[in-house]
């Protein structure tokens, strides 16, 4: 599938963001979190590129995540209207959740949403995410829940989703899936990596005997613990290695 390159058309800053987001889509596919052509990862263009307007990059609707390239990503506004020529459609309905988060959290550079088997499974459990693993301790300090209201097509749901999310970076969409918010694409990806593993571990552990829960006192101060564990670099500690992985899988994501 040939896509004319936008590298010489957009700014260097936008191109770098496009490459990071395309890599993120490829990595989500590689880790088995994609749902055919459904779900989305949105990245907000910086004000230095847009002049303060709210503009985002999102997947071309109909492409598998492992097909997405930097040039095929579509630039949209808050209503998911295309802002440049593209042969691909976009999915305004799928952007309802993303636009709600970006609107309420202007610092959010990336919103990542999945429908994985483990994620949907835990989202359907009344108790939600349990404090039974080290991974869960990183999630629980910044976790919120939003009740299922059907397929997210109605703009009026946005207000309730925004209120439920608050300042959390991890959101369980009940009976639906998982969502993470990050200041950068790297942050949102690492949050989802941790959240997805939390859900997988929980499902596996529940297949065995009685569960041992983490002492609640340990849950306090987990944000500081995470900073120490990543040598103060946060997601940027792992992101260069993840980009190398994407490069090994298929360097074509940067085209």
């Amino acid at each position: 599938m040939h896509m004319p390159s936008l590298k010489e058309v957009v700014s260097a800053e936008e191109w770098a963001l496009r490459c990071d987001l395309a890599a993120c889509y490829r990595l989500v596919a590689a880790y088995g979190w994609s749902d055919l052509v459904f779900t989305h990862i949105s990245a907000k263009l910086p004000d230095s590129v847009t002049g303060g307007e709210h503009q985002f990059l999102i997947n071309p609707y109909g492409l598998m995540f492992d097909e997405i390239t930097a040039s095929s990503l579509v630039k949209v506004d808050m209503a998911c209207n295309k802002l440049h020529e593209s042969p691909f459609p976009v999915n305004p309905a799928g952007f309802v959740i993303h636009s709600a988060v970006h609107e309420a959290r202007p610092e959010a550079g990336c919103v990542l949403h999945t429908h994985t088997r483990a994620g949907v499974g835990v989202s359907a459990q009344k108790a939600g995410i349990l404090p039974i693993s080290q991974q869960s301790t990183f999630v629980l300090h910044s976790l919120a829940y939003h009740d299922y209201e059907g397929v997210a097509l109605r703009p009026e749901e946005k207000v309730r989703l925004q209120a439920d999310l608050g300042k959390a970076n991890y959101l369980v969409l009940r009976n639906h899936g998982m969502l993470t918010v990050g200041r950068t694409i790297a942050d949102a990806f690492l949050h989802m990596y941790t959240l997805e593993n939390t859900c997988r571990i929980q499902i596996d552990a529940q297949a065995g005997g009685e569960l041992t829960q983490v002492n609640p006192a340990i849950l306090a101060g987990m944000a500081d613990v995470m900073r120490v564990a990543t040598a103060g670099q946060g997601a940027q500690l792992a992101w260069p290695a993840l980009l190398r992985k994407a490069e090994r899988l298929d360097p074509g994501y940067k085209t």
Side-chain angles (χ1 to χ4, degrees), residues 1-13:
M1 186 173 58
H2 175 69
M3 273 294 301
S5 175
L6 297 179
K7 185 174 183 179
E8 305 303 325
V9 177
V10 301
S11 68
E13 200 170 2

Side-chain angles (χ1 to χ4, degrees), residues 82-187:
K82 289 196 289 187
L83 298 178
H84 66 97
E85 288 297 321
S86 170
F88 301 105
V90 291
N91 181 16
F95 195 59
V96 168
I97 290 173
H98 291 253
S99 63
V101 176
H102 284 296
E103 182 180 349
R105 299 280 294 276
E107 84 285 1
C110 182
V111 177
L112 202 167
H113 173 41
T114 61
H115 297 158
T116 66
R117 181 174 177 176
V120 176
V122 171
S123 79
Q125 295 182 3
K126 188 172 184 178
I129 291 177
L130 302 174
I132 60 169
S133 66
Q134 178 168 278
Q135 287 80 358
S136 71
T137 64
F138 293 115
V139 170
L140 288 165
H141 84 277
S142 186
L143 178 66
Y145 292 85
H146 176 65
D147 287 339
Y148 188 61
E149 299 186 23
V151 177
L153 302 175
R154 298 176 299 278
E156 59 266 25
E157 183 180 354
K158 292 169 65 171
V159 176
R160 293 182 289 276
L161 188 148
Q162 290 167 337
D164 289 336
L165 175 65
K167 295 299 181 183
N169 290 322
Y170 304 88
L171 180 65
V172 175
L173 296 161
R174 291 286 194 183
N175 311 101
H176 182 174
M178 298 288 154
L179 182 144
T180 58
V181 181
R183 183 181 57 83
T184 66
I185 292 168
D187 290 325

